[in-house]
Amino acid sequence: MTDLDIKETDVEIKVPEKEPERQFFYMEKCRKLVEQRVKLKKRSLRYHVETFGCQMNFKDSEKLEGVLAAMGIEAEESEKADIVIYNTCTVRENANTKVYGRIGYLGKLKKQNPDMIIALCGCMMQEPAAVEKIKNSYSFVDLIFGTHNIFKLAELLYNVFEDRLCGKEKKHRMLIDVWKDTDKIVEELPSVYKYSFKAGVNIMFGCNNFCTYCLVPDVRGRERSRRPADILNEIRDMASKGIVEVMLLGQNVNSYGKGLDEPADFAGLLSKVDGIEGIERIRFMTSHPKDLSDELIDVMARSKHICRHIHLPLQSGSDRLLKAMNRHYTAADYMKLVEKLRKAMPDIAITTDIIVGFPGETEQDFSDTLKVCEEVAFDSAFTFIYSKRTGTPAAAMEDQVPPDVVKERFDRLLEVIRRTSEEKASALTGKTVQVLVEETDREGLEAFDKKKDQVYLTGRLENNLLVHFAGSSDLIGKLVNVKLDECKGFYFLGSLCQK
Ligand code: 5AD
Ligand code: SF4
């Protein structure tokens, strides 16, 4: 018997139209096909999901894995697996380039294992040009889907399995299902948690801001919020499974609640999450400065569980560029927010995103950015070289800045960020702080004069920095007090405080 001879033995029953029932139906059908295949191959089937990009994609991948696990497929560290899914990013051009290289590698693996299923999803697949290129140059790919129908994985995979396993279509076919947008939010599908103690929670999807450099509104669609009850139930369920830290996720969490039938806003949602038993730490990202409310600052300041950390993308310190970027705030507005935040919470860590080389950026614009960075003294910053994204208004702007000028400015910015963030971190040296223990230290932490047989751990501070210290692995997932003995710039060496 060959793979193609496997027949599905189910009597056809009506496919449910409603979600998530429809997907559970397909998960069960896939599970049966997987069982047959496992018997035939005399080994388990394995999947590998590779995530590119941001927290949002990371969360989506946990959902993909939840569906695959429900089908009885097991996780595999390497790409030498039966099903490989790349969950792609397209924020910057080099993210795309990287993915093409990796798809080429998958093609080689598929030559060794022709039964392998290769699927691509995520933001890059929302771009028609990328899909076209894959159709033309990587015809061995089996499945392409987008950001709006990721909940459909079970159904899509079933269609691929059918082609493959039931011999209905022997010629290789690339199944492409990409939606332009959706108003649908499908709740209650399974999810795996990569970490047993922390997890992301989508509170909203999409973005309505249309910053002129950004492809996200195109690839993730219009803003839509989940109902508070669904979010709170999910977090309660997480808490019951031992999760102690949640990260509330949205492109612009500060506009949470718009368009919902019931009145809801982000500050209100946060205070409800704050009341959930067992959740010790709450993080959120990303906050758009234009929508950061006084109520939010107030809720943060009063809460014991919301981390004293805010990620507040500045993008540029030049009012002229902020306008051209469609950001709806000025450098002075931003500084006022920082002042308010620090007045309410003197110890709050502020991190940011900055783009260098936006079209038309002059030396004066850039020095305005440096000035704001000096004044704020960010705890850390993600710094990006502007990347021209076809279809965005900025791509059509004149005065694209020459690469050598951008590079030189980028290095100067890095230096300012490095210095101020190091100063911020150093100020904590000698203090004892609460950290969430995340993992045992990987090999190669040279900074310690490691004792043989001693386990070293990595813990995360409220401000998101890491500390390495000696301890025992049963502390993973626990909150412990650690003395920060030495600052190494972006991390600390510390010692565990026994109570
Ligand atoms: N070029 C460079 N950086 C970008 N970002 C978004 N789009 C671009 C682009 N075209 C950055 C912004 C955003 C972060 C997630 O990615 O700083 O906040
Ligand atoms: Fe992109 Fe701006 Fe939306 Fe952030 S707020 S995702 S930068 S359009």
Side-chain angles (χ1 to χ4, degrees):
M1 189 157 95
T2 70
D3 288 349
L4 296 176
D5 293 324
I6 299 177
K7 291 278 182 296
E8 211 197 345
T9 49
D10 282 1
V11 182
E12 268 317 312
I13 45 172
K14 207 164 175 296
V15 182
E17 282 187 13
K18 260 181 66 191
E19 300 292 4
E21 291 79 1
R22 187 178 173 91
Q23 297 313 311
F24 281 109
F25 171 86
Y26 279 111
M27 266 179 251
E28 183 54 21
K29 279 170 92 75
C30 286
R31 200 184 57 75
K32 287 188 180 145
L33 287 179
V34 168
E35 251 173 30
Q36 291 179 355
R37 186 121 165 143
V38 165
K39 270 194 201 137
L40 184 81
K41 287 193 175 263
K42 298 197 180 65
R43 65 164 178 84
S44 61
L45 287 198
R46 310 190 74 84
Y47 73 78
H48 175 86
V49 178
E50 184 82 24
T51 312
F52 299 82
C54 66
Q55 300 281 345
M56 206 67 95
N57 266 14
F58 187 84
K59 177 68 197 171
D60 281 350
S61 291
E62 290 191 339
K63 295 179 188 169
L64 296 171
E65 292 200 36
V67 170
L68 292 163
M71 294 173 185
I73 309 174
E74 293 174 15
E76 163 66 49
E77 285 270 314
S78 87
E79 283 149 312
K80 288 183 183 151
D82 301 288
I83 300 178
V84 176
I85 304 183
Y86 276 179
N87 188 5
T88 61
C89 168
T90 192
V91 173
R92 287 167 296 279
E93 179 67 33
N94 56 7
N96 293 37
T97 317
K98 202 154 96 185
V99 167
Y100 289 127
R102 297 283 292 266
I103 304 173
Y105 170 65
L106 290 186
K108 285 192 192 133
L109 291 181
K110 194 167 178 170
K111 283 210 175 101
Q112 293 158 22
N113 174 17
D115 288 346
M116 181 179 176
I117 291 173
I118 300 176
L120 307 174
C121 65
C123 295
M124 192 175 148
M125 300 307 126
Q126 292 294 140
E127 285 183 89
V131 173
E132 205 48 38
K133 178 163 172 161
I134 292 159
K135 270 196 329 207
N136 295 332
S137 311
Y138 305 95
S139 56
F140 52 82
V141 169
D142 300 284
L143 170 63
I144 293 181
F145 55 107
T147 55
H148 303 301
N149 59 345
I150 149 170
F151 70 89
K152 250 183 97 177
L153 175 67
E155 183 171 348
L156 295 170
L157 262 188
Y158 182 74
N159 291 335
V160 176
F161 281 154
E162 256 199 332
D163 277 4
R164 278 288 182 86
L165 305 180
C166 304
K168 282 187 188 157
E169 173 126 22
K170 298 211 168 125
K171 200 167 148 281
H172 180 259
R173 176 170 84 113
M174 188 187 292
L175 176 60
I176 302 176
D177 188 4
V178 179
W179 301 359
K180 263 191 144 16
D181 203 350
T182 186
D183 53 7
K184 222 178 185 152
I185 296 180
V186 180
E187 298 285 352
E188 287 169 30
L189 284 171
S191 183
V192 300
Y193 300 128
K194 276 271 186 208
Y195 301 95
S196 58
F197 51 86
K198 66 169 185 178
V201 183
N202 296 111
I203 63 164
M204 60 202 297
F205 302 93
C207 181
N208 284 356
N209 290 313
F210 293 98
C211 301
T212 53
Y213 49 81
C214 186
L215 262 185
V216 168
D218 285 348
V219 298
R220 290 253 172 204
R222 293 297 65 72
E223 207 170 272
R224 53 217 182 273
S225 295
R226 286 176 74 196
R227 293 182 331 130
D230 291 332
I231 297 169
L232 297 169
N233 283 341
E234 183 180 354
I235 299 176
R236 277 187 210 108
D237 181 56
M238 286 174 167
S240 75
K241 291 176 175 147
I243 299 261
V244 293
E245 177 179 307
V246 289
M247 160 94 81
L248 308 184
L249 296 170
Q251 304 296 347
N252 176 14
V253 291
N254 296 329
S255 71
Y256 170 77
K258 286 184 189 149
L260 281 175
D261 296 338
E262 54 200 299
D265 65 12
F266 186 54
L269 179 73
L270 256 187
S271 50
K272 286 191 188 124
V273 176
D274 198 23
I276 296 179
E277 182 100 23
I279 297 298
E280 302 289 344
R281 274 185 169 186
I282 303 162
R283 299 183 184 277
F284 56 88
M285 82 187 300
T286 294
S287 282
H288 194 307
K290 79 178 166 64
D291 296 317
L292 184 81
S293 68
D294 290 348
E295 289 76 23
L296 172 63
I297 298 177
D298 196 45
V299 169
M300 284 183 85
R302 280 189 282 113
S303 164
K304 281 204 181 66
H305 302 120
I306 303 172
C307 290
R308 295 289 171 97
H309 170 213
I310 191 160
H311 186 68
L312 199 61
L314 168 68
Q315 312 299 3
S316 169
S318 150
D319 290 346
R320 203 180 64 82
L321 286 196
L322 285 170
K323 195 156 197 279
M325 289 174 165
N326 196 29
R327 291 290 290 177
H328 299 282
Y329 55 84
T330 63
D333 296 335
Y334 190 94
M335 290 307 302
K336 241 180 257 155
L337 281 181
V338 169
E339 206 177 293
K340 265 196 218 168
L341 284 161
R342 287 197 171 136
K343 188 158 173 238
M345 295 163 278
D347 55 344
I348 192 168
I350 303 178
T351 58
T352 201
D353 293 344
I354 298 168
I355 298 176
V356 182
F358 184 81
E361 182 187 77
T362 61
E363 184 53 33
Q364 182 58 50
D365 294 319
F366 179 67
S367 60
D368 288 347
T369 299
L370 287 185
K371 188 161 158 260
V372 177
C373 291
E374 293 276 6
E375 278 177 28
V376 176
F378 289 109
D379 288 75
S380 95
F382 294 108
T383 47
F384 304 105
I385 287 183
Y386 167 73
S387 170
K388 186 173 169 177
R389 308 306 289 121
T390 309
T392 60
M397 289 179 188
E398 300 192 341
D399 290 342
Q400 303 277 331
V401 186
D404 53 332
V405 176
V406 179
K407 176 74 177 66
E408 190 264 337
R409 287 181 189 161
F410 188 74
D411 290 344
R412 277 155 65 202
L413 175 66
L414 276 189
E415 183 48 29
V416 171
I417 299 293
R418 192 199 55 74
R419 177 166 45 75
T420 55
S421 56
E422 210 170 305
E423 279 165 18
K424 284 261 151 184
S426 304
L428 295 174
T429 309
K431 292 212 159 94
T432 297
V433 296
Q434 195 190 51
V435 309
L436 177 59
V437 184
E438 297 204 332
E439 55 190 358
T440 51
D441 252 335
R442 298 201 187 96
E443 289 301 306
L445 182 65
E446 302 294 324
F448 275 112
D449 184 13
K450 278 197 177 179
K451 291 193 200 91
K452 208 167 157 268
D453 302 331
Q454 174 62 61
V455 173
Y456 289 87
L457 303 171
T458 300
R460 194 174 293 273
L461 279 66
E462 236 185 277
N463 68 5
N464 223 23
L465 289 182
L466 297 178
V467 56
H468 304 283
F469 57 99
S472 59
S473 50
D474 59 319
L475 292 177
I476 290 176
K478 304 233 159 56
L479 287 155
V480 297
N481 288 328
V482 171
K483 181 156 180 277
L484 305 174
D485 298 321
E486 194 184 340
C487 178
K488 292 277 185 185
F490 296 108
Y491 66 94
F492 295 92
L493 302 183
S495 39
L496 183 64
C497 296
Q498 315 286 0
K499 273 186 208 137

